[in-house]
Amino acid sequence: MLEHWYYILAIPLYKLISNLIHLHNTKKIHHLYIIWIETETGYAELTQEKQNFSELIKKANIIEPYIPAVQPMGYGQLASFNASLVENFPSSLENFVVITNKTFLQLIGIFKKRCWETFNPLYWLNLLIYLPQNLLQYLGFSGKNIFTKLLQLLWWIIGIFTAAATQLYPDLCRQIVEQVLQKFSLL
């Protein structure tokens, strides 16, 4: 019936490998940044990693930091603005260095946490229990609107019904699952 059950392991394996790659890339770029700050060498190599740095911030789902900055414009005038950390990467200005280093440390922490989540059964249970909410958040919808809550409630009702049905009618449920799997195997 379920002779290919091990395919389900592809999901946690993908999660682990992708987050290990993100963690490795974050540490590599952070190392290049520290070397550049300390020795002022390797600017070209570090600048080539700007796009990767931007993608890592997006993958970690953190808000891109903006740094308040003031620059003299000449004739006694100053320009005050919020500068994007990603757009100004790499920067050796002191206030940028502090925020950039904090961002790298935050990225490292996020990707380490996601790697360890792969082995945590409570993470997977929580993911399954709140599957509709997690899917809608992944698709960019708010988890706090009424549609999400109704869909979540429907998911729980289906889950309770399925659990009760498998306990009360195990043979019938087994037949239904086998028929569904057989139809999918014909596709």
Side-chain angles (χ1 to χ4, degrees):
M1 179 173 120
L2 292 173
E3 57 270 350
H4 299 295
W5 62 269
Y6 51 86
Y7 286 149
I8 199 81
L9 293 177
I11 296 168
L13 190 61
Y14 171 77
K15 178 180 173 61
L16 178 64
I17 291 171
S18 65
N19 282 300
L20 282 172
I21 289 170
H22 296 325
L23 178 62
H24 171 74
N25 288 340
T26 301
K27 286 182 174 183
K28 181 183 86 171
I29 298 170
H30 187 220
H31 179 72
L32 291 172
Y33 184 71
I34 295 297
I35 289 173
W36 177 68
I37 291 298
E38 291 175 351
T39 65
E40 296 183 8
T41 60
Y43 178 78
E45 186 178 1
L46 184 60
T47 305
Q48 291 171 5
E49 298 292 341
K50 182 177 183 174
Q51 182 64 34
N52 289 338
F53 179 62
S54 174
E55 288 174 9
L56 288 168
I57 287 177
K58 289 176 187 168
K59 294 276 186 196
N61 202 21
I62 60 173
I63 298 170
E64 178 187 343
Y66 283 85
I67 295 126
V70 177
Q71 288 188 338
M73 299 298 292
Y75 301 108
Q77 295 190 6
L78 298 173
S80 176
F81 55 92
N82 287 327
S84 164
L85 181 72
V86 172
E87 290 298 318
N88 292 291
F89 181 81
S91 175
S92 60
L93 296 174
E94 185 177 339
N95 51 352
F96 277 86
V97 171
V98 172
I99 300 297
T100 303
N101 197 41
K102 283 183 181 179
T103 302
F104 274 120
L105 295 175
Q106 186 179 8
L107 289 171
I108 289 169
I110 288 169
F111 294 129
K112 276 184 181 178
K113 178 183 175 275
R114 288 181 184 173
C115 287
W116 284 113
E117 281 176 348
T118 306
F119 304 106
N120 185 352
L122 292 177
Y123 167 79
W124 294 105
L125 184 62
N126 189 39
L127 184 71
L128 183 64
I129 290 171
Y130 295 101
L131 187 63
Q133 181 180 351
N134 291 328
L135 283 174
L136 289 172
Q137 283 178 339
Y138 175 76
L139 295 173
F141 297 102
S142 171
K144 303 200 187 294
N145 63 26
I146 191 73
F147 174 71
T148 304
K149 291 180 181 183
L150 287 174
L151 196 60
Q152 185 66 52
L153 182 62
L154 179 64
W155 175 255
W156 288 339
I157 290 169
I158 291 170
I160 291 169
F161 174 76
T162 304
T166 56
Q167 292 299 313
L168 296 173
Y169 310 105
D171 294 332
L172 179 63
C173 291
R174 188 176 300 111
Q175 287 175 348
I176 292 171
V177 169
E178 287 174 352
Q179 288 174 355
V180 169
L181 289 175
Q182 191 175 34
K183 287 187 182 197
F184 278 114
S185 67
L186 293 176
L187 295 178

